[in-house]
């Protein structure tokens, strides 16, 4: 639809999310917070309270119809309701306990230093591909048993799978299907190895051998759950690193504040998560006819949770349209709400905190090349900056071990 201000709103259009959707979101929050997208035949909820309400009522708004709008469900926990969702989540959560995440900090810091070592002597790089992308891929790849020499392939498959979300382009869809086949062919031997050897020192081994009430996941389920972990842990963190650094460039006074007082980095990370909100949408399906904020939703209709709109809701965030690394409290919804709250949230926070600590310490004058365009991924699911050329004063390597 087109608003009276001439703003186009298409909840399935990647260009809508990859451009500047925030004026349209502001209009929706004020005038049409439960919006029916006639073109796509689905609803969108735009305010913080409505996103929370739908997210925390799985009896009325189900995940079992698929977590992606207009996309059929797949056999992974994000597309299940209780009790199956609870069972799978308990199995996967064994790999994301607070203790496991805390134990990763030294490893993550070493990876960050190795990543920076690859570019620090050059004085320039593409921040997205050279800095932001390697860290989450290496960390998640390690957790999934991905060999270092295979990381580039896994990253390419992850990218291709995301590009196929919410598109009807036959070429993109074919590439997405091929990426899934390649990933499945790659991960199945790892699953078989963990089953045969009894190894449980990575997430694949944990998923293969974990039991709850005598149940274990079959091979197909492990393939899909590991793929969910890969996409959820790779793309999203990458975009927050890139988007967060871009905002620090636009606000040099806030960057200077963090340089002088790195203790503020964890709070800054929360603001980066709110501001970037890499996951744009999730879907729920109404299980019954229900009225929501005065609008009548019919059973079987899909409801899209507009996370970036919720994270700019003026009713919750003071000066919501201002980036502020000192914002406190900051109850953002970058990790969702309710039973499907992101399992990997603490790992993502750790990676973001450590990477910005190391970047500020080692490349303190890093800046985006003046006038450089920052193209964003055109997607209705996960979006973020695709390339970002930066320059900085060359510095010496610290000699971090290759991960």
């Amino acid at each position: 639809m087109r608003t009276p201000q001439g703003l186009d709103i298409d909840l399935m259009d990647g260009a809508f999310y990859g451009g500047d959707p925030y004026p349209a979101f502001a209009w929706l929050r004020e005038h049409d917070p439960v919006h029916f997208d006639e073109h796509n035949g689905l609803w969108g909820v735009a305010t913080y309270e409505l996103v929370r309400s739908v997210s925390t009522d799985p009896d009325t708004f189900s995940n079992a119809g698929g977590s992606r709008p207009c996309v059929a469900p797949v056999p992974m926990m994000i597309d299940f309701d209780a009790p199956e969702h609870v069972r799978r989540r308990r199995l996967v959560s064994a790999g994301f306990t607070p203790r496991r995440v805390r134990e990763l900090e030294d490893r993550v810091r070493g990876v960050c230093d190795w990543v920076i070592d690859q570019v620090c002597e050059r004085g320039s790089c593409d921040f997205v591909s050279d800095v932001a992308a390697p860290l989450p891929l290496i960390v998640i790849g390690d957790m999934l048993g991905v060999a270092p020499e295979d990381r580039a392939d896994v990253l390419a498959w992850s990218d291709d799978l995301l590009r196929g979300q919410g598109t009807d382009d036959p070429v993109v869809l074919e590439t997405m299907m091929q990426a899934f086949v390649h990933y499945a062919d790659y991960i199945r031997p790892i699953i078989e190895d963990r089953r045969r050897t009894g190894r449980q020192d990575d997430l694949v081994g944990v998923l293969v051998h974990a039991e709850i009430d005598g149940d274990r996941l079959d091979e197909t389920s492990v393939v899909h759950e590991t793929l969910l972990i890969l996409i959820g842990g790779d793309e999203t963190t990458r975009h927050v690193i890139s988007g967060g650094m871009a905002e620090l460039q636009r606000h040099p006074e806030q960057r200077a504040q963090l340089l002088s007082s790195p203790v503020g980095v964890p709070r800054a990370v929360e603001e980066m998560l709110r501001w970037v909100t890499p996951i744009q949408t999730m879907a729920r399906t109404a299980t019954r006819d229900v009225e929501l904020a005065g609008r009548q939703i019919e059973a079987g209709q899909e409801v899209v949770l507009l996370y970036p709109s919720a994270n700019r809701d003026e009713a919750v965030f003071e000066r919501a349209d201002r980036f502020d690394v000192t914002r406190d409290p900051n109850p953002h919804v970058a990790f969702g709400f309710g039973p499907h709250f992101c399992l990997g949230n603490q790992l993502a926070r750790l990676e973001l905190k450590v990477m910005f600590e190391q970047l500020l310490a080692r490349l303190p004058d890093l800046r985006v090349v003046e006038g450089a365009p920052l193209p964003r991924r055109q997607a209705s699911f996960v979006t973020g900056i695709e390339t970002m050329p930066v320059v900085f004063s060359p510095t010496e390597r610290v000699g971090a071990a290759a991960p």
Side-chain angles (χ1 to χ4, degrees):
M1 68 161 284
R2 182 180 289 269
T3 73
Q5 291 76 21
L7 301 169
D8 288 319
I9 300 175
D10 183 339
L11 300 183
M12 289 298 296
D13 183 9
F16 170 68
Y17 298 96
D20 180 14
Y22 292 101
F25 288 150
W27 186 89
L28 287 175
R29 289 194 300 272
E30 182 176 358
H31 300 285
D32 194 12
V34 181
H35 168 71
F36 187 64
D37 181 340
E38 294 185 1
H39 178 69
N40 296 299
L42 45 76
W43 296 88
V45 292
T47 68
Y48 186 97
E49 285 304 319
L50 286 170
V51 168
R52 181 167 66 177
S53 176
V54 172
S55 301
T56 55
D57 184 6
D59 291 337
T60 305
F61 299 102
S62 168
N63 267 58
S67 58
R68 301 297 314 124
C70 303
V71 176
V74 294
M76 58 177 64
M77 65 177 171
I78 200 171
D79 286 352
F80 286 106
D81 293 322
E84 181 62 16
H85 167 254
V86 174
R87 184 178 78 92
R88 289 176 179 242
R89 187 178 177 93
R90 288 173 64 190
L91 292 172
V92 177
S93 67
F96 292 95
T97 63
R99 178 183 61 81
R100 278 181 177 261
V101 172
R102 285 195 302 271
E103 291 172 350
L104 283 173
E105 180 159 356
D106 287 344
R107 166 66 172 166
V108 170
R109 199 169 301 276
V111 173
C112 289
D113 276 331
W114 179 84
V115 168
I116 296 171
D117 271 358
Q118 307 314 297
V119 301
C120 65
E121 296 177 330
R122 290 162 32 191
S124 66
C125 69
D126 182 276
F127 188 84
V128 177
S129 60
D130 294 334
V131 178
L135 170 64
L137 177 64
I138 291 169
V139 173
I140 289 295
D142 283 354
M143 297 176 77
L144 295 177
V146 174
E149 63 269 21
D150 297 328
R151 289 171 184 152
D153 287 337
V154 172
L155 177 62
W157 299 333
S158 174
D159 285 345
D160 288 341
L161 283 160
L162 274 179
R163 288 191 180 95
Q165 294 289 332
T167 182
D168 56 4
D169 185 322
V171 176
V172 177
L173 289 172
E174 177 62 24
T175 302
M176 179 184 71
M177 294 304 299
Q178 290 176 356
F180 175 77
V181 170
H182 289 316
Y183 175 77
D185 288 345
Y186 177 81
I187 202 69
R188 283 192 177 107
I190 297 176
I191 294 170
E192 176 55 33
D193 173 80
R194 303 305 184 267
R195 199 182 305 279
R196 184 182 68 256
T197 63
R199 282 182 56 189
Q200 299 187 47
D201 56 350
D202 58 26
L203 270 174
V204 178
V206 170
L207 289 173
V208 165
H209 295 287
E211 283 192 24
I212 294 180
D213 299 329
D215 291 332
R216 289 187 177 183
L217 296 177
D218 59 23
E219 181 183 86
T220 299
S221 295
V222 176
V223 169
H224 281 91
E225 296 299 352
T226 58
L227 183 58
L228 175 63
I229 292 166
L230 170 65
I231 293 175
D234 171 30
E235 296 272 348
T236 54
T237 304
R238 174 205 314 182
H239 292 319
V240 179
I241 295 172
S242 300
M245 181 56 75
E247 285 307 307
L248 290 182
Q249 303 305 301
R250 296 187 183 104
H251 298 84
E253 76 289 351
Q254 297 190 43
R255 177 188 176 91
Q257 182 176 353
L258 293 177
L259 282 167
S260 64
S261 181
V263 70
V265 168
R267 185 176 294 175
V269 162
E270 297 304 312
E271 181 69 344
M272 293 172 188
L273 287 161
R274 181 188 77 91
W275 192 260
V276 175
T277 315
I279 294 181
Q280 302 293 290
T281 63
M282 286 288 183
R284 303 291 187 265
T285 302
T287 61
R288 59 181 176 86
D289 293 350
V290 60
E291 183 178 304
L292 187 66
R295 303 299 297 273
Q296 190 65 37
I297 298 174
E298 298 177 2
Q301 289 187 316
E302 288 186 299
V303 178
V304 178
L305 307 172
L306 299 172
Y307 295 127
S309 179
N311 274 340
R312 302 287 179 95
D313 191 336
E314 302 84 352
V316 176
F317 302 97
E318 184 178 355
R319 294 181 296 177
D321 60 352
R322 182 178 185 273
F323 180 78
D324 181 3
V325 296
T326 67
R327 184 179 298 278
D328 186 34
N330 193 346
H332 62 77
V333 297
F335 295 116
F337 271 128
H340 288 273
F341 184 76
C342 176
L343 261 178
N345 73 91
Q346 292 302 319
L347 177 59
R349 286 177 160 116
L350 174 66
E351 292 179 55
L352 291 163
K353 178 185 84 75
V354 174
M355 177 56 88
F356 277 97
E357 288 173 347
Q358 300 310 101
L359 284 169
L360 290 167
R362 296 189 55 192
L363 303 177
D365 65 349
L366 182 147
R367 60 195 183 279
V368 178
V369 172
E370 186 174 353
L374 302 181
R376 288 171 56 85
R377 169 168 294 172
Q378 306 293 298
S380 61
F381 180 29
V382 177
T383 189
I385 298 170
E386 294 259 65
T387 62
M388 190 165 81
V390 297
V391 293
F392 44 85
S393 298
T395 60
E396 294 183 358
R397 295 174 174 234
V398 298

